[in-house]
Amino acid sequence: AQKVTQAQTEISVVEKEDVTLDCVYETRDTTYYLFWYKQPPSGELVFLIRRNSFDEQNEISGRYSWNFQKSTSSFNFTITASQVVDSAVYFCALSEGQGGSEKLVFGKGTKLTVNP
Amino acid sequence: DGGITQSPKYLFRKEGQNVTLSCEQNLNHDAMYWYRQDPGQGLRLIYYSQIVNDFQKGDIAEGYSVSREKKESFPLTVTSAQKNPTAFYLCASRLAGGLNEQFFGPGTRLTVL
């Protein structure tokens, strides 16, 4: 069965610190997709990134970077030089199968607070 | 503006009453989803629909019902059989095929008194 574990329930940092959010997943499929979503206080989930199981290249987008390691079943998310606007709950999610995101299994989320 | 609309943002109901949550999208997406979020929990899938007039149960479908009569609409009814209906409900949609992510609506916070 699929499972996503985000062991960090809450993280608090001071602005400009780097912070890494951990995500560990379980799946028996060889084809799967991993996602990160951001949920600001308004409640709506915002898509950040999708990664397929065949692409282990790390990705960088501005201050955001993602490290995908199949050997440890992890898909960690790093925010560099954090800002107050980064405060949100971040969810890691997993989808199995060829089609991608028919069904997503979410972790419980990590609440990030960035203090000025 | 293209997007997903959920209304209302906040909804209050008395225990024992059925209530229907609205979800509309004008993105021409094929698939639509309903999730429930409880404090400190991730999102859990209630129902999803990949085409009109067809839908499947998710992980926690008991006490809920849905319909998909139109491509753009996927209302969720929370029935009196749902034991703990107070939660934040999120609707999502997705273009079928390929590697398309789910887009989410703003959510409806349901409180049953």
Side-chain angles (χ1 to χ4, degrees):
Chain A
Q2 305 173 73
K3 185 178 178 183
V4 175
T5 302
Q6 294 180 255
Q8 304 149 307
T9 305
E10 292 193 42
I11 299 176
S12 183
V13 299
V14 176
E15 208 169 16
K16 297 185 184 174
E17 280 186 34
D18 298 348
V19 57
T20 295
L21 310 182
D22 297 333
C23 173
V24 173
Y25 62 92
E26 292 177 31
T27 178
R28 281 180 262 184
D29 258 23
T30 55
T31 301
Y32 54 89
Y33 300 83
L34 296 161
F35 302 78
W36 275 95
Y37 282 87
K38 174 182 180 179
Q39 185 179 41
S42 60
E44 183 172 340
L45 263 73
V46 177
F47 167 78
L48 295 178
I49 191 172
R50 173 190 56 244
R51 216 52 173 162
N52 74 58
S53 52
F54 300 107
D55 183 2
E56 281 193 79
Q57 271 193 322
N58 290 336
E59 180 147 345
I60 298 175
S61 176
R63 297 184 296 107
Y64 294 171
S65 62
W66 290 269
N67 182 280
F68 176 29
Q69 292 198 343
K70 286 177 78 170
S71 60
T72 56
S73 297
S74 65
F75 186 44
N76 297 337
F77 172 31
T78 297
I79 302 174
T80 303
S82 60
Q83 299 176 2
V84 172
V85 293
D86 295 327
S87 297
V89 180
Y90 291 86
F91 291 98
C92 181
L94 167 70
S95 173
E96 289 177 339
Q98 299 287 337
S101 53
E102 282 98 354
K103 290 174 62 177
L104 293 175
V105 173
F106 284 85
K108 292 188 176 181
T110 297
K111 182 178 181 180
L112 173 65
T113 302
V114 181
N115 299 298
Chain B
D1 250 37
I4 302 173
T5 303
Q6 290 186 247
S7 60
K9 180 74 173 172
Y10 299 94
L11 192 53
F12 296 88
R13 279 294 182 271
K14 290 183 179 178
E15 197 171 342
Q17 289 182 335
N18 290 356
V19 59
T20 297
L21 280 59
S22 162
C23 178
E24 305 274 334
Q25 53 96 3
N26 60 5
L27 301 166
N28 200 32
H29 284 176
D30 307 283
M32 297 186 74
Y33 307 78
W34 274 106
Y35 293 91
R36 170 183 173 138
Q37 184 179 16
D38 295 284
Q41 300 292 316
L43 280 67
R44 292 181 291 168
L45 183 64
I46 305 172
Y47 269 99
Y48 65 105
S49 166
Q50 294 180 305
I51 56 172
V52 174
N53 292 322
D54 188 44
F55 47 83
Q56 287 78 39
K57 292 182 179 179
D59 301 317
I60 56 166
E62 187 175 346
Y64 299 97
S65 65
V66 293
S67 63
R68 186 88 188 276
E69 296 175 3
K70 297 185 295 182
K71 187 176 184 178
E72 58 270 23
S73 177
F74 191 40
L76 173 74
T77 297
V78 185
T79 74
S80 55
Q82 168 50 233
K83 292 187 174 21
N84 296 298
T86 294
F88 187 52
Y89 291 88
L90 283 155
C91 177
S93 69
R94 168 183 174 264
L95 197 60
L99 306 175
N100 298 301
E101 67 274 11
Q102 293 183 21
F103 289 89
F104 284 80
T108 291
R109 191 167 299 279
L110 173 65
T111 302
V112 175
L113 306 169

